[in-house]
Amino acid sequence: MKAILLLGGSGTRLRPLTNDTPKQMLPVCGRPMIEWVCEHLSQHGVNEVVLSLGYRAEAFTKAYPQGRIGRLAYEVAVEPEPRGTAGAVRFAAEASGITGSFLVLNGDVLTDLDVGALASFHESSAAEATIALQPVADPTPYGLVVADPSGRVLSFSEKPEPGVTQTALPRGEQPTISAGTYVLTPAVLDRIAPDRPVSIEREVFGQLVADGTLAALVSDTYWLDTGTPQQYLAANLDILDGRRAGARVVDASTVASGSIHPDARIRTSVIGSGCEIGPDAVVLRSVVGDGCRLAAGAVVIDSVLGTGAVVGVGAVLSEFSVLGSGEQVAPGAVLRAQRQPPA
């Protein structure tokens, strides 16, 4: 089965990290996020992906010039203008010549979902589309989905108000959201207008629910939307802490090249290559990009440093502070989420 990866977003909530880099090319424990996504797909029977691109499309083709990302061959479909999530799917499907059922995935979601099981359920459902559902405590940032015991979707509310969540569910039932992974038949493409932006969540799924042709499968597995600095940091720390199936790296207390002073204290953090970390510096639950410099006594806690960032003597970063590539923090400065955009 082919898979379309939606990668066209500009990653505004992750700025300044995404000022020059698409969010799916940001490193997660030393590897671009897209490699984690493609590796997972290759483990579940997908052998080819179509990259639906927009923002900085050249970053992907430059990083993978041989037409493969790990084990997966890829094609590219670059939208001439933003067409919405559904418009991007139609454009990519037509550009790559898809004729049978296919997968669609949000490229900034990391998950251990069994996509093979989702495809099998779709085949048995006779639905036009099948979506993966994920139980969550709070569905309001996402899309509340209510399905009957057979898996037929009864309602789909994109980013619902809290009151909608309380009234839509049977008492005691945990809310489920669309997990950003779908199986679509070609019939769905005919529902997508070709001449304007179309949202698959706000328009197409509503049509399918009304016609009784949208199915869903609940899977309570590892799932993470990486769209904010907190979530991006969690993606790295979850792998360090062993929360993802089969994903293991050593807690980064050394680097491939560079210099870490023996008096520096590094715990539960990812340190990129070529970093210089001075005496009495502290790095805790953070991501430090390649080529960063932390001077003596610098403290970085629960924060993210882009490539080549510099933290001066005794400076403190905490509470999800984010530095873009090459940014500098003056000696003695204190930053607390100065770069944190709204969720």
Side-chain angles (χ1 to χ4, degrees), residues 69-240:
I69 302 174
R71 300 176 184 176
L72 294 186
Y74 75 84
E75 301 176 60
V76 169
V78 183
E79 292 179 280
E81 68 282 322
R83 300 188 177 198
T85 49
V89 169
R90 175 168 178 161
F91 180 81
E94 292 178 343
S96 60
I98 288 177
T99 58
S101 295
F102 58 98
L103 281 162
V104 177
L105 301 97
N106 290 340
D108 57 356
V109 169
L110 296 176
T111 180
D112 291 335
L113 173 72
D114 186 342
V115 294
L118 180 69
S120 296
F121 179 80
H122 172 76
E123 290 178 3
S124 67
S125 71
E128 282 189 50
T130 300
I131 61 178
L133 300 186
Q134 181 74 23
V136 295
D138 178 15
T140 54
Y142 305 106
L144 175 66
V145 182
V146 179
D148 67 18
S150 72
R152 183 171 64 93
V153 175
L154 303 176
S155 65
F156 188 105
S157 304
E158 179 70 359
K159 295 182 171 58
E161 297 294 331
V164 172
T165 301
Q166 294 166 5
T167 58
L169 295 172
R171 184 180 299 273
E173 184 173 311
Q174 186 174 16
T176 54
I177 64 168
S178 170
T181 300
Y182 325 125
V183 183
L184 306 183
T185 61
V188 175
L189 302 179
D190 295 333
R191 295 177 177 270
I192 303 170
D195 54 354
R196 64 176 178 85
V198 180
S199 166
I200 198 167
E201 301 87 359
R202 297 184 184 278
E203 296 185 57
V204 178
F205 287 161
Q207 297 173 16
L208 294 170
V209 170
D211 292 343
T213 58
L214 182 62
L217 180 66
V218 179
S219 178
D220 190 2
T221 186
Y222 179 88
W223 182 89
L224 181 67
D225 173 357
T226 61
T228 68
Q230 296 100 317
Q231 293 163 333
Y232 171 66
L233 180 57
N236 285 267
L237 301 187
D238 284 352
I239 293 174
L240 289 183

Side-chain angles (χ1 to χ4, degrees), residues 1-7 37-38 41-42 44-52 72-76 89 92-93 96 98 100-106 115 181-183:
M1 181 174 282
K2 265 188 180 180
I4 293 176
L5 296 184
L6 300 178
L7 307 167
V37 174
C38 287
L41 290 175
S42 70
H44 290 272
V46 174
N47 53 23
E48 186 175 0
V49 294
V50 182
L51 308 185
S52 173
L72 294 186
Y74 75 84
E75 301 176 60
V76 169
V89 169
S96 60
I98 288 177
S101 295
F102 58 98
L103 281 162
V104 177
L105 301 97
N106 290 340
V115 294
T181 300
Y182 325 125
V183 183

Side-chain angles (χ1 to χ4, degrees), residues 248-275:
R248 299 287 186 271
V249 297
V250 176
D251 191 345
S253 58
T254 60
V255 291
S257 61
S259 175
I260 296 180
H261 194 278
D263 291 338
R265 289 167 288 171
I266 301 173
R267 299 289 185 274
T268 316
S269 295
V270 179
I271 309 297
S273 64
C275 292

